[in-house]
Amino acid sequence: MKTYKTIERAFNYGGIPLKNRIIFAPTSMGLKAPKYFKKMAVIAAGGCAMIIVGDVPVQKSKFSPSLLSPKGFSYYQQVTQIAHEHDCMICAQLYQSDLNIAGMLKYIPKLLTGKMDQMDLRTKMNQETGRYISSIPTEKVQHITSSFGNAAVLAVKAGFDAVQVHGDRMCGSFSSEIFNHRSDKYGGNLENRARFAVEAVRSIREKLPNLPIDYKVGVRQENPHYGNAGILESELSTFIPLLEEAGVTSFHVALANHSKLEDVIPPANHPEFSQQGCFLKFCDEVRKYTNRPICGVGGLHDPDFIEEQLASGRIDCASMSRQLIADPEWVNKTISAQTDNIQHCIRCNKLCLGGMYQHKGVHCIYEKTQK
């Protein structure tokens, strides 16, 4: 009987005691609260060690539940309670949107009349990002970075065991020379472009000296070019030590965002990222500059492959979203040697990414067989 000793082994992930090495990756599910709670309960019961709740805003938001509102705080309390009931740790992915709402209004008529689809709109959104983050007043930038600390305090009160700073969204756009055209202390050289992310992390660390802080590193690839936010591999030698000094205790590594969603959530036929573990090469680069735990992601689904990556020390934890949506029992089945019964994600993106585009929420082609 094949065993997966590394997958099932407990691990201290930057101060977070995990019962095994599998993490549910941060995902904006787009589901109504009752369905979302049910989905999180099923995933937590399936055996993963931690759930990272995607896109928890650090300020008030019209688009996502906010920790700053009583209703939003209660929402997150329910999520943390669900996870803990199933012996699952839970982490809040803190972020600030870099969406230029005012700049997007001009595209709404075209979207409503069908002259522009969701993919076209996303392209326009990305084009607006640079103009927006380059024009935010310095005082407002400082207010936003301090909001990460305030939000982290509320996250802990709501029951979260850790926080992750989202290295895409505004942290990523400030880090990227593609978007960041500022001439003040937040723009120009890499140290200045990293300042937003560093201040966000430091604001958390100052308020919560012992809280585990994960950082989602968005790596931008060139030759061929993928991703527009985040940082280049050649910039990691400066960026990673700055984040460590600020207080980051672990790194979650992926491709930078702000290009096509099919790049960061690649289907099986993607021209560059078709292979399993497609983003682990970025983990290899980050590993050169840190001894802190690294979590890898990117089309992971096969227990044998994942066990090999973990056992070799290439990564310390494996993060999955689509696979745990396809089969929430992946961890339990793997540990109990029932891998032949796993419903493997085929990376078709039909109802997961497709559900995002259609504003129907994240679903899976296997859902009927899960009932």
Side-chain angles (χ1 to χ4, degrees):
M1 182 177 68
K2 189 172 182 61
T3 59
Y4 298 91
K5 294 183 179 179
T6 316
I7 288 176
E8 64 179 288
R9 188 179 301 142
F11 183 73
N12 187 310
Y13 183 70
I16 313 168
L18 301 182
K19 62 185 179 182
N20 58 58
R21 304 293 188 94
I22 305 302
I23 295 172
F24 180 69
T27 306
S28 297
M29 300 294 288
L31 301 172
K32 298 290 187 181
K35 289 186 177 181
Y36 178 71
F37 295 152
K38 183 178 180 180
K39 180 69 71 175
M40 291 301 100
V42 171
I43 289 172
C48 68
M50 182 167 71
I51 291 172
I52 303 177
V53 177
D55 292 339
V56 179
V58 298
Q59 297 186 328
K60 291 182 179 181
S61 172
K62 296 180 180 179
F63 306 103
S64 303
S66 170
L67 287 160
L68 280 71
S69 73
K71 183 177 180 181
F73 187 85
S74 175
Y75 173 93
Y76 290 118
Q77 275 188 315
Q78 292 183 69
V79 178
T80 61
Q81 289 168 5
I82 288 168
H84 291 153
E85 285 172 3
H86 295 284
D87 189 29
C88 180
M89 303 298 278
I90 190 156
C91 173
Q93 185 192 58
L94 303 181
Y95 88 107
Q96 172 63 30
S97 173
D98 54 8
L99 179 62
N100 184 3
I101 300 296
M104 295 308 299
L105 293 177
K106 60 189 174 187
Y107 300 117
I108 299 302
K110 289 185 178 180
L111 185 66
L112 295 175
T113 57
K115 295 180 180 179
M116 177 183 292
D117 61 21
Q118 290 292 337
M119 293 185 184
D120 292 331
L121 180 61
R122 182 174 177 80
T123 299
K124 297 296 184 183
M125 288 166 54
N126 291 332
Q127 292 173 351
E128 291 287 341
T129 297
R131 288 190 284 270
Y132 175 54
I133 67 106
S134 297
S135 64
I136 302 174
T138 303
E139 295 77 13
K140 185 175 181 180
V141 174
Q142 294 170 335
H143 174 71
I144 293 171
T145 57
S146 66
S147 297
F148 280 80
N150 298 330
V153 170
L154 291 173
V156 171
K157 289 181 179 179
F160 284 100
D161 303 297
V163 297
Q164 180 187 87
V165 174
H166 199 330
D168 277 319
R169 302 295 194 269
M170 193 166 281
C171 281
S173 57
F174 264 83
S175 300
S176 171
E177 62 183 352
I178 293 177
F179 289 143
N180 187 339
H181 305 139
R182 302 178 69 94
S183 57
D184 62 359
K185 66 179 182 179
Y186 292 99
N189 62 39
L190 177 57
E191 288 81 359
N192 283 354
R193 285 185 280 116
R195 191 184 302 274
F196 183 98
V198 168
E199 286 186 3
V201 172
R202 190 173 291 142
S203 70
I204 299 171
R205 180 55 69 228
E206 288 174 352
K207 290 184 177 295
L208 299 161
N210 300 314
L211 182 69
I213 304 174
D214 193 34
Y215 189 91
K216 182 183 177 183
V217 181
V219 181
R220 191 168 79 252
Q221 175 177 301
E222 300 294 350
N223 301 315
H225 172 85
Y226 284 100
N228 291 310
I231 59 173
L232 295 170
E233 292 174 78
S234 60
E235 296 174 324
L236 289 169
S237 60
T238 298
F239 195 75
I240 297 300
L242 286 172
L243 290 174
E244 280 195 2
E245 184 181 359
V248 168
T249 56
S250 57
F251 294 96
H252 181 114
V253 185
L255 178 73
N257 206 327
H258 289 73
S259 56
K260 293 180 180 179
L261 273 176
E262 288 84 351
D263 296 336
V264 292
I265 310 173
N269 62 353
H270 192 280
E272 180 72 11
F273 305 116
S274 61
Q275 73 278 19
Q276 183 177 190
C278 54
F279 300 145
L280 297 189
K281 61 182 181 179
F282 301 135
C283 295
D284 298 337
E285 293 301 312
V286 172
R287 179 70 78 189
K288 295 177 182 178
Y289 309 109
T290 185
N291 292 320
R292 298 187 183 180
I294 293 175
C295 182
V297 67
L300 298 173
H301 68 89
D302 179 65
D304 292 344
F305 179 84
I306 294 170
E307 174 71 15
E308 180 182 349
Q309 308 310 307
L310 292 168
S312 69
R314 187 181 190 188
I315 54 176
D316 298 296
C317 289
S319 186
M320 298 181 282
S321 176
R322 286 176 294 177
Q323 176 55 60
L324 293 184
I325 292 170
D327 192 343
E329 287 285 324
W330 188 97
V331 178
N332 287 341
K333 289 177 180 178
T334 296
I335 292 175
S336 61
Q338 300 179 54
T339 54
D340 289 344
N341 297 326
I342 290 175
Q343 293 182 137
H344 288 274
C345 171
I346 60 173
R347 298 172 64 187
C348 66
N349 281 0
K350 288 182 179 180
L351 299 182
C352 48
L353 184 57
M356 290 184 186
Y357 278 137
Q358 297 169 32
H359 299 288
K360 294 181 179 180
V362 173
H363 298 282
C364 182
I365 59 172
Y366 289 127
E367 280 191 352
K368 290 183 179 180
T369 64
Q370 294 171 1
K371 293 180 180 178

